Amino acid sequence: MCQLLGMNCNVPTDIMFSFEGFRRRGGLTDHHADGWGIAFFEGDGCRMFLDYLPSASSPIADLVRAYPIKSTNVIAHIRKATQGQISLANTHPFRRELWGRYWIFVHNGNLPERPDLAGSRFLPVGSTDSEHAFCWILSELSQRFDSCPPLLVLKQALAELAKPLMAVGTFNFLLSDGRALFAHCSTDLHYLVRKAPFTLAHLNDTDVSVDFSQVTTQNDRVAVIATQPLTDNETWTKMQPGELLCFVDGMPG
């Protein structure tokens, strides 16, 4: 299975500490070596980096590591291919436009059955079940709503749409339009919220620590969502199967 990483904050923040541990799972501390990608929302724009090489050894991952982009919503993915060959077209995250906004999606799992996309304006470019499911979700949302609904309404719609997909396979996903970050758990997804008083955090995958009290203000709030916990000295909350959370300003709801 793949690994997911998301960050949602109340102020623009870089994800370099989490990314340092996360990228090592792509071929170094774990076997997810079939490509990787990361997307940063910046205002109405979205900056994306993709590579079909393992994230642990990717020169593009080195570039991202050396370029501390600050964002309030970040989504990243390292791939262990289950459907579709190793290629850029099959590399997450996937991006589409809906209601005049970019939407970014990553998936961890396997869907043996794919929903019908007949007549949809959203069609996959690659051959993965993940991109197909993303296109179906956006197609269904576009039919339900003429414009972007309030977040609580959107959350309820996403929870309803996730049910039939979860019923036929494993469907952990992260989705964002730059205003909020939605996280759906099918099997494995964890999160934590860093806020004052900030403490020292130590990564699981490498001997790196950061004292967040030295690099934050008292008003900062950062939520980190990951398939498996990234640190070994912080309290991570494991989401329940079927649970969908909407993160806004670093808080789940």
Side-chain angles (χ1 to χ4, degrees):
M1 295 292 183
C2 307
Q3 294 249 339
L4 312 181
L5 171 64
M7 183 183 74
N8 171 270
C9 330
N10 66 339
V11 294
T13 304
D14 75 65
I15 198 172
M16 292 304 96
F17 175 68
S18 296
F19 184 70
E20 179 66 21
F22 183 71
R23 68 169 293 194
R24 291 171 178 267
R25 297 180 179 181
L28 188 60
T29 61
D30 214 328
H31 59 274
H32 307 83
D34 298 332
W36 73 279
I38 189 168
F40 303 83
F41 278 96
E42 298 177 60
D44 291 332
C46 183
R47 194 188 303 259
M48 288 183 63
F49 300 87
L50 302 172
D51 197 354
Y52 55 79
L53 297 176
S55 58
S57 56
S58 166
I60 298 177
D62 293 337
L63 169 65
V64 171
R65 181 177 178 272
Y67 188 9
I69 301 167
K70 293 190 175 183
S71 172
T72 53
N73 284 284
V74 180
I75 289 180
H77 182 275
I78 50 178
R79 185 177 182 224
K80 176 63 176 175
T82 54
Q83 296 188 37
Q85 65 182 357
I86 300 172
S87 68
L88 279 180
N90 290 331
T91 302
H92 308 222
F94 301 108
R95 176 169 60 181
R96 293 292 190 281
E97 175 276 330
L98 174 62
W99 304 314
R101 302 190 64 83
Y102 285 126
W103 291 81
I104 299 295
F105 175 87
V106 293
H107 167 227
N108 164 24
N110 186 40
L111 299 173
E113 300 178 25
R114 302 187 184 192
D116 186 15
L117 285 176
S120 174
R121 74 175 177 94
F122 300 98
L123 297 174
V125 175
S127 56
T128 65
D129 53 331
S130 305
E131 188 183 15
H132 190 106
F134 178 38
C135 289
W136 180 78
I137 287 173
L138 293 187
S139 182
E140 292 293 310
L141 289 175
S142 69
Q143 293 178 44
R144 293 189 184 199
F145 309 107
D146 292 330
S147 60
C148 192
L151 288 176
L152 288 178
V153 176
L154 183 58
K155 178 188 175 184
Q156 180 60 37
L158 287 171
E160 293 172 3
L161 293 172
K163 287 180 181 178
L165 297 175
M166 183 176 167
V168 299
T170 305
F171 197 54
N172 304 290
F173 73 79
L174 301 178
L175 173 72
S176 180
D177 70 340
R179 299 176 306 152
L181 194 156
F182 297 94
H184 178 265
C185 177
S186 176
T187 52
D188 288 311
L189 207 56
H190 299 74
Y191 72 90
L192 63 77
V193 176
R194 294 191 180 110
K195 58 184 179 179
F198 292 96
T199 58
L200 183 78
H202 180 266
L203 290 172
N204 274 324
D205 296 85
T206 184
D207 189 18
V208 173
S209 299
V210 167
D211 184 352
F212 283 103
S213 68
Q214 301 299 310
V215 294
T216 55
T217 73
Q218 291 297 300
N219 297 321
D220 291 358
R221 192 166 56 245
V222 179
V224 181
I225 306 98
T227 300
Q228 295 297 331
L230 291 166
T231 56
D232 56 19
N233 64 337
E234 296 179 289
T235 300
W236 291 75
T237 299
K238 180 176 174 59
M239 293 178 60
Q240 298 304 305
E243 184 178 11
L244 188 143
L245 294 175
C246 175
F247 290 85
V248 178
D249 292 332
M251 288 296 291

